[in-house]
């Protein structure tokens, strides 16, 4: 049974809640709107999940949103890769004249995307979504998380969030949370509904993490730092959780998650991810397991059989593998696959200043079980009854 709900207290009998952020009115997708108005649009169920296949539907969108995301996401993907190509392109241009035509084509492609996005879509988006800048640092990050481009992503991917009663307000209002999402796949677009991580479960700003090299990429690095990204290093995560008392979001399988995909099963590269458990124990912060249903369906990733690209990506700290999206477009927009971000029951970690390896292993095992549980709970509702999750 699925019903529309108000701001349910945690004592109610509902087991799971669903928030269709892609369908949310633009008037409500603003920083000044109280969370109660968001929660009033939710659906809930008293069953063990939502009905089979009910979470896997594509919502209709306007042509302007679709076109902007086709251009904007393609530009973003090119922007992630292009800085790494400057040096080899310079060498090829000087030493291999027959490659110049192709280099010109690639540069022209990126330039056209940039001109259309920055001179046409950006001004239009600011008007459409009535974007207003704030002056305070914390408020700059909060308002930046409502970026019109990412708002369009939630529509393009028919995005929704599902969570259990144990996460529903006011259960986690007083504590920072560590959101750990998998799989990374080619692009973990489920994280881009940034305001939800900073508002839906508590009011603490959520700081997502990225490889340090990504934060140094021109333009791209500046944009994600404005949203609140921090380097994926223990020092910054600990500081965010303790001194700033803010939430932290981590794409837990990282770059390795791109190289562990299969058409027959979902895979999560988590067996070696123990450092975050140590941090959770040191700070006494709950770990929230998150599974991004649809992440692996948006792109087709080409993986070399020798593992060379995976090793090179790990050395560089950035993904260097080709992938194809909608229309077979290389590094282009994703297929319009519904993305359903399913959160599981938080793994509550006691505060232990110097946790032993046994304690880390114990709570790491609990975290892996929690990921398996959230996947098994909602896979049928997403239409993946026959799929399994393999943790590697």
């Amino acid at each position: 049974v699925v019903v529309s709900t108000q701001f349910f207290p945690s004592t109610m009998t509902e087991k799971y809640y669903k928030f269709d952020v892609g369908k949310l009115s633009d008037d409500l997708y603003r920083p000044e709107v109280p969370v109660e108005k968001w929660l009033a649009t939710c659906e809930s169920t008293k069953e063990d999940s939502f009905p089979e296949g009910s979470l896997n539907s594509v919502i209709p969108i306007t042509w302007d949103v679709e076109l902007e995301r086709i251009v904007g996401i393609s530009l973003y993907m090119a922007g992630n890769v292009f800085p790494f190509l400057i040096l080899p392109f310079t060498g090829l241009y000087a030493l291999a004249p027959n490659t110049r035509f192709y280099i010109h084509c690639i540069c022209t492609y990126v330039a056209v995307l940039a001109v259309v996005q920055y001179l046409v879509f950006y001004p239009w988006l600011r008007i459409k979504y009535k974007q207003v800048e704030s002056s305070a640092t914390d408020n700059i990050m909060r308002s930046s998380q409502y970026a019109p481009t990412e708002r369009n992503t939630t529509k393009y991917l028919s995005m929704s969030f599902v969570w259990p009663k144990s996460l529903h307000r006011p259960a986690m209002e007083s504590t920072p949370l560590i959101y750990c999402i998998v799989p990374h796949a080619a692009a973990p677009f489920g994280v881009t509904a940034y305001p939800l991580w900073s508002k839906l479960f508590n009011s603490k700003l959520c700081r997502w993490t990225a490889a340090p090299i990504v934060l140094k990429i021109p333009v791209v690095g500046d944009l994600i730092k404005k949203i609140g990204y921090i380097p994926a290093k223990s020092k910054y995560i600990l500081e965010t959780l303790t001194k700033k008392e803010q939430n932290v979001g981590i794409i837990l399988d990282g770059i390795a998650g791109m190289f562990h995909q299969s058409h027959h099963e979902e895979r999560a590269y988590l067996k070696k991810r123990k450092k975050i458990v140590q941090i959770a124990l040191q700070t006494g912060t709950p770990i929230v397991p998150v599974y991004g249903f649809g992440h692996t369906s948006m792109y087709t990733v080409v993986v070399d059989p020798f593992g060379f690209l995976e090793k090179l990506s790990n050395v560089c700290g950035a993904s260097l593998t080709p992938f194809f999206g909608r229309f077979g477009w290389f590094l282009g927009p994703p297929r319009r696959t519904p993305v359903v971000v399913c959160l599981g029951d938080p793994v509550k970690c006691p505060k232990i200043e110097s946790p032993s390896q046994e304690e880390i292993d114990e709570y790491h095992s609990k975290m892996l079980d929690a990921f398996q549980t959230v996947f098994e709970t909602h896979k049928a509702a997403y239409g993946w009854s026959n799929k399994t999750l393999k943790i590697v």
Side-chain angles (χ1 to χ4, degrees):
V1 179
V2 179
V3 296
S4 182
T5 178
Q6 295 294 320
F7 186 28
F8 283 113
S10 59
T11 55
M12 296 295 284
T13 56
E14 282 72 16
K15 290 184 178 180
Y16 294 98
Y17 300 85
K18 177 168 74 80
F19 179 49
D20 285 309
V21 61
K23 294 181 181 178
L24 187 69
S25 165
D26 291 335
D27 291 337
L28 293 179
Y29 195 83
R30 299 185 62 80
E32 67 271 16
V33 173
V35 70
E36 288 83 359
K37 289 192 175 182
W38 285 10
L39 294 172
T41 70
C42 290
E43 294 178 355
S44 67
T45 180
K46 297 177 182 179
E47 307 300 327
D48 291 332
S49 185
F50 287 89
E52 185 170 357
S54 65
L55 299 181
N56 193 2
S57 58
V58 177
I59 64 173
I61 57 176
T62 57
W63 67 269
D64 54 334
V65 170
E66 186 164 8
L67 186 58
E68 187 280 324
R69 283 295 73 198
I70 288 174
V71 173
I73 292 176
S74 300
L75 177 62
Y76 177 80
M77 294 300 180
N80 274 283
V81 174
F82 201 73
F84 296 97
L85 300 178
I86 293 175
L87 188 60
F89 274 9
T90 301
L92 287 171
Y93 198 89
L95 301 175
N98 58 326
T99 64
R100 291 178 181 177
F101 171 77
Y102 302 102
I103 294 173
H104 286 156
C105 289
I106 293 171
C107 292
T108 301
Y109 163 74
V110 176
V112 169
L113 290 176
V115 167
V116 173
Q117 185 69 8
Y118 286 103
L119 297 186
V120 178
F121 284 124
Y122 267 21
W124 167 78
L125 286 172
R126 292 181 67 85
I127 295 171
K128 178 178 180 178
Y129 292 114
K130 302 173 184 177
Q131 191 178 30
V132 178
E133 296 289 345
S134 176
S135 56
T137 302
D138 184 80
N139 287 336
I140 288 175
M141 290 182 184
R142 283 187 184 275
S143 62
S144 296
Q145 290 184 350
Y146 289 80
T149 52
E150 307 316 309
R151 170 59 175 150
N152 278 355
T153 297
T154 66
K155 297 177 181 180
Y156 182 89
L157 295 174
S158 308
M159 199 177 297
S160 60
F161 274 53
V162 173
W163 65 92
K165 173 184 173 182
S166 58
L167 268 179
H168 196 61
R169 278 185 180 247
M172 294 290 152
E173 286 184 345
S174 61
T175 179
L177 298 169
I178 301 175
Y179 300 111
C180 293
I181 187 170
V182 297
H184 184 292
F189 281 111
V191 310
T192 61
Y194 295 111
L196 277 65
W197 308 101
S198 298
K199 186 171 183 174
L200 204 53
F201 310 107
N202 60 34
S203 299
K204 300 179 185 295
L205 182 69
C206 184
R207 310 291 298 274
W208 282 88
T209 63
I213 193 171
V214 174
L215 296 174
K216 296 177 181 179
I217 296 176
V219 182
V220 170
D222 294 332
L223 289 174
I224 64 175
K225 280 189 284 188
K226 189 176 181 181
I227 291 172
Y229 271 77
I230 58 174
K233 297 290 184 181
S234 299
K235 170 187 173 182
Y236 300 99
I237 296 173
L238 284 166
E239 181 182 89
T240 300
L241 292 171
T242 56
K243 294 182 180 179
K244 298 180 180 178
E245 295 187 349
Q246 296 171 337
N247 299 326
V248 169
I250 299 172
I251 304 160
L252 197 53
D253 53 348
I255 294 168
M258 291 190 66
F259 298 90
H260 292 272
Q261 295 191 37
S262 168
H263 295 295
H264 310 293
E265 63 184 4
E266 294 285 286
R267 295 178 181 177
Y269 188 82
L270 295 174
K271 286 188 177 180
K272 295 181 179 180
R273 298 298 196 243
K274 296 186 178 183
K275 188 64 178 180
I276 192 60
V277 177
Q278 180 181 340
I279 291 173
L281 289 169
Q282 288 174 326
T283 58
T285 306
I287 296 173
V288 181
V290 187
Y291 202 89
F293 285 89
H295 275 186
T296 55
S297 302
M298 293 184 289
Y299 289 100
T300 300
V301 178
V302 179
V303 179
D304 73 284
F306 307 106
F308 173 75
L309 288 176
E310 181 177 6
K311 292 176 182 177
L312 183 60
S313 296
N314 287 326
V315 170
C316 294
S319 170
L320 299 175
T321 189
F323 53 87
F324 299 84
R326 193 175 177 185
F327 318 119
W329 195 329
F330 175 60
L331 300 184
R335 304 179 186 99
R336 283 208 65 207
T337 301
V339 169
V340 182
V341 179
C342 292
L343 299 91
D345 292 312
V347 178
K348 296 182 179 179
C349 300
K351 188 172 183 178
I352 306 171
E353 187 174 343
S354 300
S356 66
Q357 189 60 52
E358 287 183 358
E359 290 167 328
I360 293 172
D361 291 343
E362 176 188 350
Y363 282 88
H364 178 256
S365 178
K366 290 182 179 181
M367 182 186 74
L368 298 187
D369 290 342
F371 273 108
Q372 199 77 56
T373 298
V374 71
F375 180 83
E376 291 297 326
T377 299
H378 300 295
K379 68 177 187 179
Y382 189 71
W384 282 0
S385 297
N386 298 324
K387 271 203 171 186
T388 58
L389 172 63
K390 182 178 180 180
I391 295 177
V392 295

